[in-house]
Amino acid sequence: MSTMLVAEDLSAVGGISLSSALPVLTAMQYDVAALPTSLLSTHTSGYGTPAVVDLSTWLPQVFQHWTRAQLHFDQALIGYVGSVTLCQQLATYLEQQSLSLLVVDPVLGDLGQLYQGFDQNYVEVMRQLIHQADVILPNTTEAALLTGIPYQATPELQHLLPALQQQLKAGAHAVITDVQRADQIGCAWLDEAGNVQFCGEQRLPGHYNGTGDTLAAVIAGLLGRGNALAPTLELANQWLNMAVAETIDQNRTDERQGVALGRLLQAILAFN
């Protein structure tokens, strides 16, 4: 089994971030090392202000222990980090690992705005972190922030994607994950010839927390098993659409909870 380091926040209630990534990657037969970058009583959408534990003093101790224990990881998925200090600590540790794959979901904001608590210094340190990545998975807001291009809900991908690629090392890929075309929503990226490619699924009604976290985990898991980028993105979008459809079918009374994962996990196990 390959070992996948997953670093992102852990919310006790809400079913997103680590709570969604762990079952997805475990079903994909990874030995998962879960590294919470912060602890929250709930996620930040709809529950009011959560109780948060800052782990900036704990993470260096974790990295020191792992180094003494001679732990090494094959791949890594980085999601929400939360502070300049944590980003720097994480980047330093990752430089010491011989990773075959580093996927970064550069969580910065949405709907054209930075998330509360982030500033331009955080954007800059995220630019430094993604330079280590093999694949980055920003939404359109994050792509604009990382490139300095003004945000557009429907961006000019032929300009935005090359600008993103310039932020990355040679051979890395930038994938924008919330691109809308007609009645579809999906991913856009550049192929080897520099042409914009898109794959998506029918946009389903409603807003669902944690879809980006789930999508990132599926993409990292498929890529880590050696699948090529284009078929990975196609399958990941199909599975995420399946998860959202299952969530709708459940007629949940609390819309704050993340997407249902039952059918998605069944699809992963059948794919294995």
Side-chain angles (χ1 to χ4, degrees):
M1 294 177 68
S2 294
T3 303
M4 176 80 75
L5 171 62
V6 183
E8 52 193 22
D9 62 293
L10 175 60
S11 296
V13 172
I16 69 169
S17 300
L18 269 179
S19 295
S20 60
L22 291 179
V24 166
L25 291 167
T26 299
M28 288 186 168
Q29 301 181 350
Y30 283 94
D31 184 4
V32 182
L35 184 67
T37 54
S38 61
L39 298 177
L40 298 87
S41 53
T42 68
H43 65 67
T44 57
S45 177
Y47 292 102
T49 302
V52 181
V53 177
D54 181 357
L55 298 179
S56 59
T57 59
W58 179 69
L59 255 66
Q61 298 175 47
V62 171
F63 297 147
Q64 291 168 11
H65 181 203
W66 285 355
T67 300
R68 291 195 305 271
Q70 299 183 346
L71 293 177
H72 300 283
F73 303 104
D74 302 307
Q75 294 101 11
L77 167 63
I78 310 302
Y80 179 93
V81 182
S83 75
V84 169
T85 298
L86 287 173
C87 280
Q88 292 170 335
Q89 292 169 347
L90 190 56
T92 298
Y93 180 73
L94 292 173
E95 288 174 350
Q96 302 168 13
Q97 299 292 306
S98 299
L99 298 172
S100 62
L101 175 71
L102 173 58
V103 177
V104 177
D105 179 3
V107 179
L108 293 169
D110 201 4
L111 301 176
Q113 300 292 327
L114 279 168
Y115 288 133
Q116 184 176 2
F118 290 169
D119 58 17
Q120 194 58 38
N121 290 331
Y122 191 74
V123 174
E124 184 56 38
V125 78
M126 186 58 69
R127 286 177 180 151
Q128 297 170 22
L129 181 60
I130 65 171
H131 191 68
Q132 299 177 231
D134 299 293
V135 177
I136 64 168
L137 304 171
N139 60 30
T140 52
T141 296
E142 291 153 355
L145 289 166
L146 290 168
T147 59
I149 294 175
Y151 169 76
Q152 294 177 300
T154 305
E156 297 181 8
L157 296 173
Q158 66 272 25
H159 300 306
L160 185 57
L161 280 167
L164 267 179
Q165 286 292 147
Q166 292 176 7
Q167 301 282 336
L168 304 180
K169 65 184 182 182
H173 297 280
V175 179
I176 302 177
T177 56
D178 63 345
V179 174
Q180 300 185 49
R181 286 190 173 180
D183 63 344
Q184 290 191 322
I185 186 168
C187 296
W189 70 101
L190 297 179
D191 63 18
E192 298 302 324
N195 299 312
V196 174
Q197 300 296 314
F198 172 81
C199 68
E201 294 290 322
Q202 181 181 2
R203 184 177 178 87
L204 300 176
H207 171 78
Y208 305 92
N209 294 301
T211 50
D213 301 324
T214 302
L215 183 70
V218 171
I219 291 171
L222 289 171
L223 291 175
R225 291 175 55 172
N227 295 283
L229 183 64
T232 287
L233 297 175
E234 291 173 3
L235 189 55
N237 276 276
Q238 292 170 15
W239 285 352
L240 182 62
N241 181 270
M242 182 188 304
V244 173
E246 180 183 5
T247 307
I248 293 172
D249 290 345
Q250 289 181 353
N251 294 313
R252 294 183 176 184
T253 57
D254 189 345
E255 296 181 350
R256 298 172 295 184
Q257 188 69 18
V259 292
L261 296 178
R263 295 175 191 168
L264 186 153
L265 295 176
Q266 290 175 354
I268 291 172
L269 294 172
F271 183 77
N272 289 337

